[in-house]
Amino acid sequence: MSKSPETPQSPTTAKRRPAAGRARRSGKDADLPGDSQQHELIGTAANQTLAGNPLVSVRPADLASSAGYLLKAVGKSPLKAGYHLGGYLKELRAIVGGTSSLAPDPKDKRFADPAWQSNFLLRALLQNYLAGQNEFARFIDATDLAPLEKSRAQFVASLLADAVAPSNSPLTNPAALRKLVDTGGMSLARGFRQFTRDLLNNRGLPTQVDSTPFKVGENIAAAKGEVVFRSEMFELLQFAPTTGNAYARPLVMSPPQINKYYAIDLSPEKSLIKWIQDSGVNLFVISWRNPTSEHRDWGLSDYAMCLDQAVDVARQITGSPDVNMWGSCSGGITLAAYLGWLAARGEGHKVANTSWAVCVLDMPSALDDTTLGLFTTPAALRAAKASSRRKGVLSGQEMARMFAWMRPNDLIWNYWVNNYLLGNKPPAFDILAWNNDTTRLPAQLHADYLDLVQLNPYSNPGTLSIAGESIDMTKVKVGAYVIGGTTDHITPWQGCYGTARLFGEDATYVLSNAGHLQSLVNPPGNPKSFFYSAPASASDPETWLQNAGERQAGSWWPHWREWIQQRSGDSLPAPKKLGSRKYPPLCAAPGTYVLES
């Protein structure tokens, strides 16, 4: 079957490219976007959210040590260094003579402005930058460094290349120069003020979002519901169906601990919570408490037991003997631990069906072919554990900063140009506001997650114990619907397919043309959306994709609605009140824990 160009690449062809934005040779001009800088930022925002991969905490020391491999490469291969220097000088002569055909990748939005091609000086400057970047990358490829050392050297080289790109300078960025003239210098003055403010208040990184228009509980996280249970670790929110009838079996959601739950309840038109309410499903959502250092001992077992509390509350309120469950990203990791615990106790009947959004349970595949994977060494894991143990928590802000340096063009230099060179305010965008509303991980939970990398317990029975029970996922028998995203760089879609395989060949796997968060926040109406869907019957993801049939236009939400409705029991009159006599409403959603910073 022929696939469209948008079909994801196989693991053998979609290799890591540390030198982001590497040049190509072409006589054709790139397609030029017509959107403004702010629209470009918003357009990439959903693909570049932190969104929670707490498996590894990359430290500045890890990056600094990798820089030593560059020096080692030159020291070990001086003749090769000289050869590639000669290649650079040869290309430089062609640039000066106007015969160079070097051009940026057409997808590299940094150089989309027509002036990079129409102005001789800017074109020569850009080609000089690309020539140096290319030869440096080729030199590292040609060295005798060990594979891991070579990959780390390439990564550091890409960081340096991204930093010195001519698009980052106010004197050589054509859009910044035009705005400087048009505003009589005011754009640069505004940019300098914003730079100074970030230097003092944001530890030198550009602010990514103007969060002031967004108020939790007012225009985001505003779905109507009630807090029906509160413990020290979480609040349980109940959202009643908006339909006249409701299905008997409720759905209990386990969101990630590294972010606040309301990614699924942004504006009403992209609220998954509202979509579920409109589907006639009685929904319960956990809102995790934002832990502090005094909660350092909360671990994976404690969080799994929270799911058991939530399930029992939902069963009591609805009168249903069992529930369906949903786990997103690291919330799915917790859900898997809970299901293994239930199976070990002979209580698997409490959960009938499960949905898994962008969740990888085979831990090594969450790091394969990713930048984070470069730094996943036993020494790095030990150091990451020790760091969070000392502090009591792993800060979401710290993780966000290091995550930004994993993708600097999207998460740093984009905003550098927008905020400082153009003097624009950061964009006001709900997804970015949510992403900026970070949480913390208790030290024990962080350590437990790091242990998962080494133990890979969901694929290796008996290596994980939850609340005294040995976990064996082969004993978990539930229906499963698993969603992955073609451009997800946090939980790769191939790894998400492995999650579906854990639950047997009857599990449904859905592959959406989206990134990590967009795979979840995927409401109908986007004409560019499409997905593939088929049972997880193939042994590997590439074979599954080849046999998945033609792609289906639109969002997967209606597809999932049909799947969950068929598995939610009888249709009964919707409840007139939320909660029950035993669990009366405590306050309106979104509750109190989500407001804690």
Side-chain angles (χ1 to χ4, degrees):
M1 183 186 74
S2 62
K3 294 289 181 185
S4 75
E6 294 159 291
T7 298
Q9 294 175 304
S10 71
T12 57
T13 58
K15 297 297 183 184
R16 183 187 298 111
R17 296 182 61 196
R22 192 171 293 177
R24 66 186 181 100
R25 291 182 179 271
S26 173
K28 296 181 180 180
D29 292 331
D31 294 331
L32 300 174
D35 292 338
S36 67
Q37 176 73 15
Q38 292 260 325
H39 288 163
E40 293 288 358
L41 290 176
I42 290 174
T44 59
N47 269 332
Q48 312 304 335
T49 52
L50 173 63
N53 189 339
L55 298 180
V56 176
S57 178
V58 180
R59 304 164 299 149
D62 297 324
L63 301 182
S65 65
S66 297
Y69 295 127
L70 293 178
L71 299 177
K72 184 178 179 180
V74 175
K76 290 186 66 174
S77 309
L79 293 180
K80 290 179 180 178
Y83 172 80
H84 286 281
L85 176 61
Y88 165 71
L89 294 174
K90 180 180 178 181
E91 188 66 41
L92 190 59
R93 287 195 295 273
I95 293 170
V96 173
T99 60
S100 174
S101 60
L102 276 179
D105 189 311
K107 295 180 181 179
D108 193 339
K109 297 175 182 179
R110 297 175 297 172
F111 306 114
D113 193 297
W116 289 110
Q117 297 300 324
S118 62
N119 183 286
F120 173 78
L121 291 178
L122 288 177
R123 183 172 69 251
L125 180 67
L126 171 58
Q127 289 178 327
N128 175 64
Y129 165 73
L130 296 175
Q133 182 186 31
N134 279 358
E135 287 300 334
F136 201 8
R138 289 173 185 146
F139 161 65
I140 295 173
D141 280 339
T143 64
D144 297 326
L145 294 176
L148 180 61
E149 294 176 340
K150 189 176 295 187
S151 293
R152 287 188 174 184
Q154 287 283 23
F155 174 69
V156 173
S158 75
L159 289 184
L160 296 174
D162 293 341
V164 301
S167 54
N168 294 336
S169 170
L171 299 179
T172 54
N173 185 303
L177 289 171
R178 283 195 297 270
K179 192 158 188 182
L180 180 67
V181 173
D182 292 344
T183 63
M186 291 304 297
S187 61
L188 195 59
R190 287 195 300 268
F192 182 74
R193 286 197 299 270
Q194 292 181 153
F195 172 76
T196 303
R197 188 160 54 244
D198 286 339
L199 200 61
L200 296 173
N201 303 320
N202 201 37
R203 298 173 63 186
L205 282 186
T207 299
Q208 295 182 353
V209 62
D210 176 11
S211 298
T212 54
F214 304 104
K215 305 297 181 185
V216 174
E218 296 180 16
N219 56 0
I220 53 177
K224 292 184 178 180
E226 298 283 347
V227 175
V228 294
F229 178 80
R230 180 183 294 120
S231 74
E232 186 183 20
M233 295 181 67
F234 74 98
E235 290 178 329
L236 186 64
L237 315 178
Q238 183 185 6
F239 298 94
T242 56
T243 52
N245 280 11
Y247 291 96
R249 179 179 290 142
L251 176 66
V252 178
M253 278 194 167
S254 170
Q257 289 90 347
I258 195 60
N259 288 115
K260 295 185 178 178
Y261 84 90
Y262 65 87
I264 57 173
D265 189 26
L266 296 170
S267 58
E269 62 271 12
K270 51 182 149 181
S271 170
L272 180 60
I273 286 181
K274 185 177 185 304
W275 178 264
I276 294 172
Q277 289 178 296
D278 293 345
S279 303
V281 174
N282 204 341
L283 175 65
F284 293 82
V285 178
I286 287 174
S287 175
W288 299 113
R289 186 176 184 181
N290 195 2
T292 63
S293 58
E294 67 178 289
H295 307 125
R296 64 176 66 235
D297 295 327
W298 290 355
L300 183 57
S301 286
D302 301 295
Y303 280 92
M305 294 305 94
C306 288
L307 297 191
D308 195 51
Q309 285 182 292
V311 166
D312 285 345
V313 172
R315 292 166 65 215
Q316 194 283 328
I317 289 175
T318 62
S320 175
D322 56 16
V323 303
N324 293 325
M325 296 195 74
W326 173 298
S328 302
C329 198
S330 58
I333 294 174
T334 310
L335 174 57
Y338 171 55
L339 294 176
W341 178 81
L342 284 179
R345 291 170 57 87
E347 298 179 12
H349 59 273
K350 292 170 70 170
V351 179
N353 301 284
T354 54
S355 300
W356 308 80
V358 291
C359 177
V360 174
L361 297 180
D362 181 55
M363 298 304 146
S365 64
L367 300 171
D368 286 347
D369 205 36
T370 67
T371 303
L372 280 176
L374 293 177
F375 301 95
T376 310
T377 64
L381 296 178
R382 287 194 300 271
K385 279 186 187 180
S387 176
S388 59
R389 192 180 301 118
R390 282 194 308 272
K391 299 173 183 176
V393 292
L394 174 65
S395 164
Q397 290 182 335
E398 291 178 16
M399 192 183 300
R401 289 179 64 82
M402 293 313 304
F403 186 75
W405 285 109
M406 297 295 100
R407 305 180 69 83
N409 281 335
D410 294 320
L411 297 175
I412 295 176
W413 302 120
N414 251 350
Y415 297 94
W416 174 278
V417 172
N418 179 78
N419 300 5
Y420 306 153
L421 305 193
L422 299 178
N424 296 328
K425 287 184 176 181
F429 189 47
D430 53 7
I431 288 178
L432 285 176
W434 162 81
N435 189 56
N436 195 55
D437 191 9
T438 59
T439 61
R440 295 172 289 272
L441 285 182
Q444 185 59 54
L445 181 62
H446 183 221
D448 290 342
Y449 278 151
L450 294 175
D451 285 342
L452 297 182
V453 176
Q454 296 178 304
L455 299 176
N456 198 22
Y458 300 130
S459 298
N460 297 304
T463 56
L464 173 67
S465 179
I466 295 293
E469 302 288 351
S470 180
I471 301 306
D472 181 354
M473 292 300 290
T474 63
K475 296 180 179 179
V476 175
K477 307 299 180 184
V478 292
Y481 186 105
V482 183
I483 306 108
T486 59
T487 58
D488 188 346
H489 55 273
I490 297 174
T491 52
W493 73 270
Q494 295 92 341
C496 293
Y497 181 75
T499 297
R501 290 285 294 171
L502 281 177
F503 301 104
E505 296 187 356
D506 291 334
T508 298
Y509 187 62
V510 170
L511 180 59
S512 174
N513 70 317
H516 188 76
L517 185 61
Q518 285 176 315
S519 295
L520 182 59
V521 185
N522 195 266
N526 184 348
K528 296 181 180 180
S529 292
F530 64 85
F531 66 95
Y532 297 93
S533 173
S537 55
S539 60
D540 65 275
E542 300 304 326
T543 303
W544 175 89
L545 181 59
Q546 291 300 318
N547 297 328
E550 295 300 323
R551 74 185 196 188
Q552 302 179 50
S555 164
W556 56 266
W557 281 15
H559 184 270
W560 175 80
R561 170 185 276 176
E562 182 178 351
W563 185 91
I564 196 67
Q565 286 177 335
Q566 291 174 354
R567 291 160 177 80
S568 294
D570 296 333
S571 180
L572 306 171
K576 293 182 171 58
K577 295 180 180 180
L578 299 185
S580 66
R581 181 174 299 178
K582 185 175 181 180
Y583 298 109
L586 304 177
C587 66
T592 60
Y593 284 172
V594 75
L595 302 176
E596 294 180 353
S597 59

